[in-house]
Amino acid sequence: MRLLSHWNYVRMFGLLSGLHSTLSYAEVTETSEPLQLQASYWKDAAFLKSFNGTYRVQSQVEPYVETAERDLFVSIQPLMAEGKREEALKVLTQSKLKTAAVEFNRGNLYFELGEDEEALKRYQLAIELYPSFLRAHRNLGLVYARLEKLSEAQRHLREALQLGDNHGATFGWLGHCYAQSEKISSALQAYRMARLREPDTANWIAGEAFCLQSLGKIREAQALLEEVVERYPQEVSYSLMLVDVLLQLDNEQKALATLEWLYRKEKLEGSSLLTLANLYLRVDRAALAKELIENEMEGFLEHQKTGLYRWLSNAHGIVDWEGVNQILTHLADQNKEIVKDKGYKQVLAQHLAQKEPARAQELYQELVEESPLDAALLVGFAKFLAEQDQRELALIQLERALRVESEHAQALLLMGQIYVKKEQYTKSLLYLNQVKEEYASESFERYLVAVEKRAELE
């Protein structure tokens, strides 16, 4: 029975039907990092203008400034005007005044000088002396955010808002805290409030786009990211976010063009290079994929070895056998120890299955002996055995895999397919029915109906 191809499971069906497929979105993209706000934000003109405003007095939400304190602050104004933060800090530190306002301004200076731990101490002391000190809460939240202590940052940013804060940075960083704790709807609202107040801050635009993407509003996310990339083409992370969205929308050519532009500008590295190599596979440009892998081999070996193994696995059946063989040989020549890596041996076994099945089987058996509880490995071995028409041995490996991971979808699907090949249709349905939601599609539904009809005749 020839099985119909489908994006999500054709590679599994290809085992028994001889079909091949392009790579899925998940196979193209390497694991994305969580949304990161750009470090350049701390030097952004809008933020600096807002932050410098915190040196001014807001009597309704901060302690009353006595004459002695006011005289002290006036005395450092010339130093501040000349950008002499260290000298101004020295004056404040030498003063005998230890009030909430003085400690707060010391915290500001430490913050500007990048001494975050000292800034924390000063802001905390200011809050101890005056608990409803709005801007001390706000700036303490910003320091915690810069230190990536987001739960503490969230607490103080929310306190600042409850006290009446209305700054874009407060909403924006609160949005970032929510996003990192996967409170996406709350993050979206916070980012939108931040954009109302700081409409030109790239971080808040990107943050809103991230939330929209997470909520499945992909085209809205695309529009925002295209806007931010146009404004800030030098920020690579925004371009990579746009590539991720484009791939979700199946806009392969635009994603590819963006990655190639970054590569030519030497701004692409690590997992993003592997995404480009995988995308080349997906659009049938295998020669360029192979060339990229060969050119960046040294970096992949040092930092992206696991991703490289995944690429080689994806390349199986897309790049010609000799091409993959050259890369595997080159890897072994460059690093003699790599031949002992489990990942390398798995890829080699998959590769050898096409022309040297006996040697591939030996490798699989060796791997299974080393890792008997690796369900994915057991399924891979079973796929190989099924291709070699060793169905009983394949079923043994799948049963072992299901003892390790009872709901392993690929194992269940393959079990069902093997029993179809054995013309045991009723038994095959025991497994196929367990994965019909996982592999839901019109093609799979038609296949399942056909198996059910044959089962009725048994």
Side-chain angles (χ1 to χ4, degrees):
M1 179 181 295
R2 183 175 176 82
L3 306 181
L4 297 175
S5 63
H6 179 261
W7 173 284
N8 288 318
Y9 62 88
V10 67
R11 294 175 69 85
M12 279 296 299
F13 280 9
L15 170 62
L16 298 179
S17 66
L19 298 179
H20 298 287
S21 74
T22 57
L23 298 178
S24 69
Y25 161 74
E27 289 172 309
V28 169
T29 54
E30 289 297 307
T31 304
S32 300
E33 294 183 1
L35 175 67
Q36 298 292 325
L37 295 185
Q38 297 300 310
S40 59
Y41 169 80
W42 303 109
K43 297 180 181 179
D44 182 78
F47 169 73
L48 291 175
K49 180 179 179 181
S50 172
F51 182 83
N52 287 334
T54 65
Y55 287 104
R56 295 192 297 269
V57 175
Q58 290 184 332
S59 58
Q60 72 275 22
V61 284
E62 64 181 36
Y64 178 76
V65 178
E66 302 287 349
T67 301
E69 294 170 283
R70 193 178 302 276
D71 291 343
L72 177 61
F73 297 149
V74 169
S75 73
I76 66 171
Q77 282 181 0
L79 296 172
M80 296 290 289
E82 296 175 15
K84 297 180 178 179
R85 265 36 180 182
E86 292 181 350
E87 290 86 343
L89 178 59
K90 185 176 181 180
V91 172
L92 292 182
T93 302
Q94 290 174 342
S95 170
K96 294 181 180 180
L97 295 173
K98 304 298 178 184
T99 65
V102 171
E103 295 302 330
F104 172 70
N105 279 278
R106 287 179 68 190
N108 281 354
L109 290 166
Y110 278 124
F111 183 91
E112 286 200 76
L113 292 169
E115 298 184 38
D116 290 337
E117 294 296 340
E118 283 298 321
L120 281 179
K121 295 176 184 178
R122 298 305 120 202
Y123 290 140
Q124 288 168 340
L125 182 54
I127 291 170
E128 287 178 17
L129 294 169
Y130 197 87
S132 61
F133 200 155
L134 183 157
R135 289 181 298 174
H137 281 290
R138 171 181 177 248
N139 289 7
L140 181 56
L142 293 178
V143 178
Y144 275 130
R146 191 154 75 177
L147 292 171
E148 298 185 6
K149 298 180 178 180
L150 298 184
S151 61
E152 293 93 337
Q154 179 179 322
R155 179 162 57 89
H156 288 283
L157 293 171
R158 290 181 62 181
E159 182 67 22
L161 290 172
Q162 289 173 1
L163 289 168
D165 192 0
N166 203 31
H167 283 78
T170 312
F171 282 108
W173 281 102
L174 183 60
H176 183 68
C177 294
Y178 282 141
Q180 297 305 304
S181 59
E182 299 183 358
K183 297 177 181 178
I184 303 301
S185 295
S186 296
L188 177 60
Q189 296 306 314
Y191 280 131
R192 283 176 168 168
M193 294 295 287
R195 282 192 67 205
L196 286 174
R197 289 152 179 80
E198 297 179 355
D200 295 325
T201 300
N203 285 309
W204 313 149
I205 304 173
E208 183 176 345
F210 170 82
C211 293
L212 290 169
Q213 182 185 11
S214 301
L215 294 170
K217 299 179 180 180
I218 310 300
R219 294 199 179 278
E220 292 179 49
Q222 178 191 358
L224 280 177
L225 286 170
E226 286 176 343
E227 176 186 337
V228 78
V229 167
E230 183 178 357
R231 289 193 197 180
Y232 305 95
Q234 74 281 4
E235 296 286 5
V236 176
S237 64
Y238 300 145
S239 294
L240 294 178
M241 287 178 68
L242 177 58
V243 166
D244 192 54
V245 166
L246 291 170
L247 288 174
Q248 285 186 268
L249 292 170
D250 291 331
N251 194 337
E252 299 165 353
Q253 295 304 320
K254 195 167 184 177
L256 183 60
T258 302
L259 287 174
E260 286 183 319
W261 183 85
L262 291 171
Y263 188 45
R264 286 195 298 271
K265 296 291 184 180
E266 298 183 348
K267 293 183 176 182
L268 211 58
E269 58 185 22
S271 61
S272 300
L273 284 167
L274 285 167
T275 296
L276 177 56
N278 276 320
L279 189 53
Y280 277 140
L281 293 180
R282 181 164 159 180
V283 299
D284 297 324
R285 296 168 71 179
L288 284 175
K290 179 175 175 290
E291 180 182 346
L292 174 60
I293 291 297
E294 290 173 338
N295 290 342
E296 304 295 335
M297 185 77 72
E298 186 176 339
F300 292 147
L301 278 174
E302 186 173 355
H303 302 295
Q304 300 288 331
K305 193 183 293 185
T306 301
L308 177 59
Y309 294 151
R310 279 197 297 269
W311 181 88
L312 285 163
S313 180
N314 291 337
H316 177 68
I318 300 175
V319 176
D320 64 275
W321 193 90
E322 291 298 335
V324 174
N325 198 59
Q326 288 173 9
I327 295 173
L328 290 170
T329 302
H330 185 48
L331 282 171
D333 289 342
Q334 280 197 323
N335 186 341
K336 299 299 182 184
E337 294 298 310
I338 202 172
V339 297
K340 300 177 184 178
D341 281 4
K342 178 182 176 182
Y344 180 85
K345 289 195 287 187
Q346 282 186 261
V347 172
L348 182 60
Q350 181 185 14
H351 173 65
L352 292 174
Q354 185 177 345
K355 293 194 176 183
E356 300 180 46
R359 188 178 166 205
Q361 187 158 343
E362 288 178 5
L363 264 176
Y364 272 123
Q365 288 172 336
E366 179 184 327
L367 283 163
V368 167
E369 288 175 6
E370 293 173 358
S371 305
L373 299 180
D374 187 333
L377 173 62
L378 291 166
V379 172
F381 188 22
K383 288 165 66 177
F384 164 79
L385 292 168
E387 288 174 342
Q388 304 302 313
D389 288 329
Q390 300 182 53
R391 295 172 190 158
E392 298 304 325
L393 288 177
L395 289 171
I396 291 172
Q397 303 307 319
L398 292 171
E399 287 167 357
R400 292 174 65 186
L402 290 173
R403 282 197 292 270
V404 175
E405 189 178 328
S406 62
E407 297 183 3
H408 195 293
Q410 286 189 333
L412 292 166
L413 177 61
L414 188 51
M415 288 278 273
Q417 289 182 307
I418 290 174
Y419 280 118
V420 167
K421 282 288 185 178
K422 288 166 63 69
E423 299 184 354
Q424 297 180 28
Y425 301 106
T426 301
K427 195 165 187 178
S428 74
L429 289 173
L430 295 176
Y431 300 99
L432 294 176
N433 281 324
Q434 293 184 61
V435 295
K436 61 183 179 182
E437 292 184 6
E438 181 80 16
Y439 297 104
S441 72
E442 291 183 8
S443 299
F444 185 80
E445 185 62 31
R446 287 195 296 269
Y447 174 67
L448 194 59
V449 168
V451 174
E452 288 171 346
K453 288 181 178 178
R454 296 299 295 271
E456 291 173 358
L457 301 175
E458 288 186 333

